Amino acid sequence: MIDQAMAAKSRAMAVPEVVVALSGRWLRLEHRAIQGLMFLLSALILLNVATRYAGRPIYWIDESAVYSVVWLTFIGASAMTRMRLDFAVTMLTERFSERGAAIFRIIATLGVLLFGIGLLVMCWLWLDPVGIAQAGFDAREYAGQSFNFIYTERTQTLNWPTWVIYLIMPLFALSMSLHALANLFEDLGLVEKQKLPGFAANADGVVN
């Protein structure tokens, strides 16, 4: 019995460490994705200027740049969540004691986690992977049954399926939830606060 209790306790203690490790690896991927999207966006803008100056504009560049900004924004917002660089109002919490500020930091982090989980549930209902699978992945049949036309719509100039672009939403919800959970474990003292190499220093003392 004692051995089983100790094993269960060790497994419970390992969960926060696993979550923080996964969050750190995902953050590194986000860092590379942000760099790649920034390079892509700059290249698209320069190409757009050059082709317009030459009198031969490429019609799909504007839409590509817009979608690059959208993905860059959501991936950057997810990374900022883990780095605790998101916006915060400290007019009240800066007057609290260190313990009081820590409590409100936990509450704020829990709020971010709940928001991420709620957004993930909404994305599941919106994209309805079970429904499209039951329709045999036939977009027209699924749209006729559910009146959800997300799988039949296409972008204006690139002619891509719009659901491919919209995948950033569930991806953002999942990554933000993972980062918020890692932050929560750190705030609760279940794991040591991690250093994030290659990124700006965390905003210590800020309730966000």
Side-chain angles (χ1 to χ4, degrees):
M1 294 294 295
I2 297 178
D3 293 339
Q4 293 179 353
M6 292 181 63
K9 183 177 180 181
S10 63
R11 287 195 298 268
M13 292 300 295
V15 171
E17 297 176 357
V18 171
V19 170
V20 170
L22 289 175
S23 176
R25 292 179 181 178
W26 189 255
L27 183 60
R28 291 181 177 85
L29 291 177
E30 287 176 333
H31 188 202
R32 296 188 181 95
I34 290 170
Q35 291 176 329
L37 286 170
M38 291 182 68
F39 175 80
L40 176 62
L41 180 60
S42 301
L44 288 172
I45 293 174
L46 290 175
L47 181 60
N48 195 23
V49 172
T51 54
R52 287 180 181 274
Y53 182 78
R56 296 179 177 274
I58 302 176
Y59 65 93
W60 49 263
I61 290 183
D62 289 338
E63 190 175 47
S64 301
V66 169
Y67 293 143
S68 298
V69 170
V70 171
W71 275 67
L72 180 61
T73 300
F74 280 103
I75 295 176
S78 174
M80 288 175 63
T81 300
R82 182 64 179 102
M83 295 185 292
R84 303 175 187 270
L85 295 176
D86 43 345
F87 294 102
V89 179
T90 61
M91 294 176 60
L92 178 63
T93 55
E94 65 186 5
R95 291 175 169 79
F96 290 166
S97 63
E98 183 177 350
R99 177 177 175 80
I103 293 174
F104 272 83
R105 186 180 298 111
I106 293 173
I107 295 174
T109 304
L110 184 59
V112 175
L113 176 60
L114 293 177
F115 174 80
I117 295 174
L119 182 60
L120 191 60
V121 172
M122 292 179 63
C123 289
W124 178 273
L125 297 175
W126 175 40
L127 296 174
D128 192 15
V130 176
I132 187 66
Q134 290 176 346
F137 297 99
D138 187 330
R140 294 183 180 275
E141 181 179 351
Y142 172 74
Q145 294 175 354
S146 64
F147 295 97
N148 186 349
F149 299 95
I150 186 174
Y151 295 107
T152 59
E153 297 176 349
R154 306 187 73 87
T155 59
Q156 293 182 354
T157 59
L158 293 171
N159 198 30
W160 289 358
T162 55
W163 67 267
V164 175
I165 307 298
Y166 295 153
L167 283 179
I168 187 57
M169 292 299 297
L171 184 64
F172 166 70
L174 182 62
S175 59
M176 184 176 63
S177 300
L178 176 64
H179 291 327
L181 186 59
N183 289 344
L184 182 61
F185 286 148
E186 289 182 350
D187 293 339
L188 292 173
L190 299 179
V191 292
E192 294 183 359
K193 191 172 184 180
Q194 303 295 306
K195 293 183 179 180
L196 306 175
F199 296 95
N202 290 4
D204 293 331
V206 177
V207 178
N208 53 5

